[in-house]
Amino acid sequence: MTEKVVVSIGGSILIPGIEDHEYIKKLADLLIEVSSKVKISVVCGGGKTARYYASVCRELGGDVYEQDLFGIAATRMNAGLLDMALGNNNFPNIPETVEEAVNLFEKGNIVVMGGTVPGHTTDGVAAMLAEGIGADRIINATSVDAVYSDDPKSNGNAERYSRITIQDLEKLVGTEHGASKSGVFDPLGVRIAKKNKIDILTVHGRDWEDLRSAILGQNIKGTFVDSH
Ligand code: UTP
């Protein structure tokens, strides 16, 4: 049976603000190429657009719920760009729920979505979508090249892992969003992946070779989180 994959792509990878159209076009080409071998869906993060809108909302007196709504809107704009590059042209009708995305996926499309409701991140959505479609693995395409014992950007002594268990990852990320030491994956997403025995492969989203290998389930330079 054809394997199913969910790619969770951070906004910081998708749209950092430098020649973003080139990366998004290349990513779309890669997804189209590998879609002959695996069934793919993608959840896009909000990155700095989300953070900027949330911060202006906060300055205007908006509460956390309202800030989340701006964050979600940004994730859907980012998803719209990738969706357009794939030739789907769903924007602005990007799936708003996991159920909607599952239905589209089952029709055979490369589904692209962003956030859903306030209170979690797009990693959490990626895990929910993975549960919904019965995915074999989640690809965490992020701005670090692997899972570390601590944030490698602030702690040069952080240990790098090539393979860990989901129980190890659960200990690393903590229980609440924001409590994570490495910030590598949303704790809610980890819990869902553990419950459904879905492996999580963390790779740098701009490392084409590793991203491709992860999607195809081949050996990676990043971290393989074993959920079995
Ligand atoms: P992200 O998931 O992109 O946040 O959503 P992030 O972890 O900062 O990821 P990067 O930087 O893209 O890698 C942006 C914000 O949108 C809200 C949250 O406030 C989140 O921080 N959000 C997102 C939700 O409330 N619900 C969702 O389903 C998704």
Side-chain angles (χ1 to χ4, degrees):
M1 211 168 75
T2 312
E3 288 187 321
K4 300 174 203 165
V5 179
V6 176
V7 181
S8 178
I9 186 138
S12 52
I13 288 298
L14 195 66
I15 191 143
I18 313 152
E19 304 291 352
D20 295 333
H21 62 285
E22 281 180 12
Y23 175 78
I24 293 170
K25 180 75 185 81
K26 263 186 100 170
L27 177 61
D29 289 346
L30 172 70
L31 295 174
I32 290 166
E33 182 225 313
V34 292
S35 69
S36 62
K37 301 192 177 81
V38 291
K39 288 189 75 185
I40 300 172
S41 53
V42 187
V43 183
C44 298
K48 62 183 176 189
T49 317
R51 282 190 289 280
Y52 179 68
Y53 273 79
S55 76
V56 177
C57 171
R58 186 175 55 242
E59 299 294 334
L60 288 168
D63 59 21
V64 173
Y65 185 91
E66 289 164 319
Q67 291 167 40
D68 279 354
L69 290 177
F70 279 98
I72 293 167
T75 65
R76 293 207 184 119
M77 287 201 295
N78 291 345
L81 292 175
L82 179 60
D83 185 84
M84 171 183 250
L86 284 165
N88 290 345
N89 296 324
N90 288 317
F91 189 77
N93 301 314
I94 295 298
E96 294 188 3
T97 64
V98 167
E99 294 69 37
E100 238 183 278
V102 170
N103 285 337
L104 269 179
F105 182 84
E106 279 166 2
K107 288 187 184 132
N109 300 296
I110 299 180
V111 177
V112 186
M113 71 183 299
T116 54
V117 292
H120 49 244
T121 71
T122 47
D123 287 344
V125 175
M128 292 176 218
L129 181 56
E131 180 177 45
I133 64 171
D136 295 276
R137 56 190 165 274
I138 297 167
I139 313 307
N140 179 28
T142 182
S143 59
V144 286
D145 61 354
V147 177
Y148 289 78
S149 59
D150 200 353
D151 183 352
K153 288 172 187 160
S154 55
N155 178 358
N157 295 321
E159 189 187 345
R160 186 183 194 282
Y161 303 117
S162 56
R163 191 181 182 104
I164 54 173
T165 64
I166 193 101
Q167 286 79 8
D168 293 332
L169 183 66
E170 204 173 25
K171 280 183 212 137
L172 265 178
V173 300
T175 51
E176 276 173 55
H177 184 58
S180 158
K181 267 169 89 189
S182 64
V184 68
F185 207 75
D186 183 329
L188 169 70
V190 175
R191 278 203 299 281
I192 296 170
K194 184 184 171 193
K195 190 178 104 206
N196 293 281
K197 297 192 174 5
I198 304 167
D199 300 325
I200 304 174
L201 285 71
T202 292
V203 294
H204 197 293
R206 295 234 164 190
D207 181 333
W208 292 114
E209 197 192 317
D210 230 24
L211 181 57
R212 190 174 188 283
S213 300
I215 293 173
L216 294 175
Q218 298 166 349
N219 287 337
I220 53 168
K221 287 180 268 164
T223 304
F224 182 87
V225 180
D226 190 346
S227 298
H228 291 82

